[in-house]
Amino acid sequence: MTARPQNPDPSRPARAAAPSKPKRGGSHGVGAARPLAADDRARLLAGTHHDPHGLLGAHLVRGGIAFRVLRPYAQAVTVLAKGLRAELHDEGDGLFSGVLPLREVPAYTLLVTYDDTEIEAEDPYRFLPALGELDLHLIGEGRHEELWTVLGARPMTHQGVPGTRFTVWAPNALGVRVTGDFCYWDGTAYPMRSLGSTGVWELFLPGVGDGALYKFDIARPDGSHTLRADPMARRTEVPPATASIVTESHHVWQDELWMAARGDRPVHESPFSVYEVHLPSWRPRLTYRQLAEQLPAYVRDLGFTHVEFLPVAEHPFGGSWGYQVTGFYAPTARMGTPDDFRFLVDALHRAGIGVLVDWVPAHFPKDDWALAQFDGRPLYEHEDPTRSEHPDWGTLEFDYGRKEVRNFLVANATYWCEEFHVDGLRVDAVASMLYLDYSREAGEWSPNEHGGRENLDAVAFLQEMNATVYRRCPGVITIAEESTAWDGVTRATHHVGPGGFGGLGFGLKWNMGWMHDSLGYAAHEPVHRKYHHHEMTFSMVYAYSENYVLPISHDEVVHGKRALVSKMPGDWWQQRATHRAYLGFMWAHPGKQLLFMGQEFAQGAEWSETTGPDWWLLDPSYSAEPDHRGVRDLVRDLNTVYRDAPPLWQRDTDPGGFAWVAGDAAEDNVFAFLRHDASGAPLLAVSHFSPVVRHDYRLGVPDTVSAWAEVLNTDAARYGGGDIRNEDPLKPDSTPSHGRPVSIQLTLPPLATVWLRPV
């Protein structure tokens, strides 16, 4: 480890020692070094010097090699080399110096003497910069796609010596110092050097390695100091502690087969059903590795193709669910280390389950140890307060027009995909990024250069992010949570739409309109639903305008909105029946599916991040356990039949894959439609949202099918239903119906969805 005093008092100013008598090491005498200029000395000690390496370390001077060392609290510093032992003069304030009659700088170490110990250590100021010119050029251009490899704390061997390279972007800083547990949080001895116009500061600290805690002590333009966590930290302390941690990965991935095959088939033409999870509360107090023992088996048993994690990047307040991020490059330490998170992703992949993570590039909190005014001035946030202050969340918005900030975020997107093998990013709050007037009244915002309300910088950022992720990470999908009718969210970035913008380049978009309308319909009493029939059919007017996910997410089961089953009217039987019918309708509707945890077994209470799902509802000793287990069994069968039925997913983005049979049966509360796969093979889905049985209900069907058989019925007894089913195959007769020459007659169970396929 780097030399450090025993039990120092960082608040105590360094004590000026009386000049010591020169000592001889080997045959070499120690001459007096030329004193530092007063300004250099003051700036060095104040942590505001841009080039400490020019003052400290070993330098060729007239008469030999000058050594200068800054070690607060040290009693003496001795230079050690082959055949050399020379004690330096004490200049006071922790500075030690001397000139040795040498022709070149030797390979040397320092012997630092404190009150009760001596420590031999490498001198950080004898090392060349550990960052290359190409890296600096790319950082300056805002185009370093692997930014995490060059900024932050990187354990490495430099000039043959193991240690950690510390780098940070702080262009407004007067100076930056590294501090941490390796120096008892007194960073006086470790000022960093400026690497020119890029605004990057760098210092290689020999002996510091994996597990060391650190922060950056930044001298702001006004001369005051602020202690900051590393924006690029790849590991953090467990909140509420805020230090960054030096880390390197030792995980050996075992998901080669998954990674090699995940891009073989486009997501849009594949089964894609998502189980949304808040990791800290799915099973409270479990670690990543403990979750890896339970979550993959649970999700695989239910048949979901993917999990989606609410944000896992580090965040100080658990009640934010991860949506107010302070550590964009660090998985939250609440459940373990970054390698522990890798272990969880690996386990899910080996179970055949894809991993999506929520990603939050829209805003960040104002914590004074994190990104806000990082180096004393607006840096990651926009310098205009009307552009930086988020009006709804008390947070700050990123300055997407600044190339370094854009680089920070674009690289962060690829970082999660490449370093943690995640298969997709669901981008939160896209609408708040796209509009300058988002949640702002007239006079509270300024139009763009064309007089419009679009945030052109955010548009360019999202396009660059998507293009970069798709280019670098085959098989990865990006998903937008975008709540407006912005044109071209899932259109390619190079295809210009009628509004004059290229597409944003996302792979999928959450269909917030479908969610809002369909839940509104289901919440009405059955007798009133006929007046709201259009709320269930309107989604098909725009279903192919984007590539959609149908989300019943965490946002819909909190803050007084009630759990999914509790939104449904009627008694407990009717609520569960409508819940099941709704899920059957959702899984058959064009688009991919997403269901938040707890809704798969009809949890009646709203979700709480402090307690998680009500797993006790599935305890066999609970009297109503069969009711909840039945709904979970339905979700399992929905996923199983869905994955085996290409009509339900192969043409999700193709209007030719859908056809109404009965879209106007408002009086009956019936919705019937056909889904077709690429070969034209059909599946008939019929949803009935009345609490009565309808016998001999006639529906027109294709005349190419000789008989139809039920493959799923949400009223089955095993799901908790009344078990009213169509037992035998249904053969069409020549009675025309719904514009088709043949039709079938079937029994519609109450509050149920039925799927039928050709026999």
Side-chain angles (χ1 to χ4, degrees), residues 271-432:
F272 192 92
S273 61
V274 182
Y275 183 59
E276 190 188 28
V277 176
H278 178 249
L279 276 177
S281 70
W282 185 74
R283 295 279 190 180
R285 293 175 294 282
L286 292 191
T287 66
Y288 290 126
R289 290 183 181 267
Q290 290 169 332
L291 285 163
E293 297 173 1
Q294 298 186 32
L295 184 61
Y298 184 80
V299 176
R300 181 173 57 187
D301 175 65
L302 289 182
F304 287 97
T305 66
H306 290 73
V307 292
E308 179 177 321
F309 298 150
L310 272 63
V312 295
E314 193 59 271
H315 50 283
F317 176 49
S320 76
W321 311 332
Y323 289 99
Q324 295 196 7
V325 177
T326 48
F328 282 81
Y329 283 78
T332 178
R334 291 169 173 85
M335 292 166 287
T337 68
D339 270 358
D340 293 337
F341 180 66
R342 289 181 175 92
F343 185 88
L344 173 59
V345 175
D346 208 344
L348 286 159
H349 282 174
R350 286 183 280 114
I353 299 161
V355 179
L356 315 173
V357 297
D358 280 12
W359 186 56
V360 192
H363 63 125
F364 58 92
K366 297 179 179 179
D367 300 75
D368 60 7
W369 49 268
L371 295 183
Q373 293 204 358
F374 180 75
D375 59 2
R377 291 178 181 165
L379 188 65
Y380 290 90
E381 68 271 37
H382 203 284
E383 62 182 2
D384 180 351
T386 66
R387 293 281 299 274
S388 65
E389 292 280 341
H390 197 291
D392 291 342
W393 303 322
T395 54
L396 297 171
E397 299 182 14
F398 283 102
D399 182 359
Y400 305 107
R402 186 162 191 165
K403 61 182 184 297
E404 297 94 343
V405 174
R406 193 169 62 244
N407 193 176
F408 173 82
L409 292 171
V410 171
N412 187 243
T414 61
Y415 169 78
W416 287 98
C417 300
E418 296 183 12
E419 289 291 320
F420 296 103
H421 289 199
V422 303
D423 306 292
L425 301 171
R426 177 269 197 184
V427 183
D428 183 64
V430 171
S432 74

Side-chain angles (χ1 to χ4, degrees), residues 34-310:
R34 183 177 181 179
L36 291 176
D39 179 64
D40 281 336
R41 182 185 180 99
R43 290 168 59 203
L44 181 65
L45 295 174
T48 59
H49 205 289
H50 70 287
D51 184 24
H53 289 71
L55 308 179
L56 302 175
H59 301 275
L60 181 65
V61 297
R62 182 185 298 274
I65 302 296
F67 293 83
R68 180 169 278 110
V69 176
L70 177 58
R71 280 291 186 275
Y73 316 113
Q75 300 301 311
V77 176
T78 302
V79 176
L80 302 179
K82 185 177 181 180
L84 172 67
R85 181 184 180 95
E87 183 176 326
L88 302 179
H89 299 288
D90 188 341
E91 294 184 352
D93 296 324
L95 285 165
F96 299 83
S97 67
V99 176
L100 300 182
L102 304 173
R103 294 184 177 181
E104 59 184 21
V105 177
Y108 71 94
T109 59
L110 302 174
L111 183 66
V112 186
T113 303
Y114 296 102
D115 290 335
D116 55 0
T117 190
E118 285 188 335
I119 300 175
E120 184 176 349
E122 295 280 356
D123 183 1
Y125 297 92
R126 78 172 182 86
F127 293 90
L128 297 171
L131 204 59
E133 289 298 322
L134 177 58
D135 289 323
L136 288 172
H137 173 76
L138 292 173
I139 291 171
E141 292 289 313
R143 296 290 179 183
H144 205 302
E145 294 180 358
E146 297 180 358
L147 194 65
W148 66 93
T149 67
V150 293
L151 292 184
R154 175 67 55 172
M156 62 191 312
T157 297
H158 182 45
Q159 295 177 213
V161 177
T164 295
R165 180 193 65 203
F166 293 91
T167 46
V168 64
W169 178 60
N172 298 308
L174 295 180
V176 184
R177 298 186 288 204
V178 181
T179 185
D181 61 351
F182 44 83
C183 61
Y184 288 76
W185 296 101
D186 180 0
T188 305
Y190 300 124
M192 305 174 74
R193 63 178 145 207
S194 169
L195 295 181
S197 61
T198 59
V200 174
W201 300 76
E202 183 263 359
L203 179 65
F204 175 74
L205 285 185
V208 174
D210 196 359
L213 275 61
Y214 71 99
K215 283 188 176 181
F216 295 114
D217 177 359
I218 298 175
R220 293 180 280 212
D222 64 0
S224 64
H225 284 253
T226 179
L227 196 60
R228 298 290 174 137
D230 182 1
M232 301 292 298
R234 292 174 293 122
R235 184 182 172 192
T236 69
E237 286 189 288
V238 178
T242 59
S244 305
I245 302 178
V246 177
T247 188
E248 54 184 334
S249 177
H250 303 284
H251 180 73
V252 179
W253 289 97
Q254 301 178 53
D255 62 349
E256 296 87 355
L257 294 178
W258 172 272
M259 295 295 288
R262 72 177 181 181
D264 288 351
R265 183 167 61 185
V267 167
H268 314 89
E269 300 171 5
S270 305
F272 192 92
S273 61
V274 182
Y275 183 59
E276 190 188 28
V277 176
H278 178 249
L279 276 177
S281 70
W282 185 74
R283 295 279 190 180
R285 293 175 294 282
L286 292 191
T287 66
Y288 290 126
R289 290 183 181 267
Q290 290 169 332
L291 285 163
E293 297 173 1
Q294 298 186 32
L295 184 61
Y298 184 80
V299 176
R300 181 173 57 187
D301 175 65
L302 289 182
F304 287 97
T305 66
H306 290 73
V307 292
E308 179 177 321
F309 298 150
L310 272 63

Side-chain angles (χ1 to χ4, degrees), residues 143 145 359 410 413-414 418 425 459-474 476 478 489 491-494 503-507:
R143 296 290 179 183
E145 294 180 358
W359 186 56
V410 171
T414 61
E418 296 183 12
L425 301 171
V459 171
F461 156 67
L462 290 169
Q463 291 173 328
E464 180 181 347
M465 181 276 297
N466 281 312
T468 304
V469 167
Y470 279 106
R471 172 171 49 81
R472 290 183 62 102
C473 310
V476 165
T478 60
V489 172
R491 190 171 62 235
T493 57
H494 59 282
L504 296 182
F506 285 95

Side-chain angles (χ1 to χ4, degrees), residues 520-530 532 568-570 574 669 689:
Y521 173 88
H524 288 293
E525 292 286 346
V527 69
H528 298 139
R529 284 175 178 155
K530 63 183 179 181
H532 300 272
M568 310 306 176
Q574 290 178 321
N669 294 345
F689 286 96

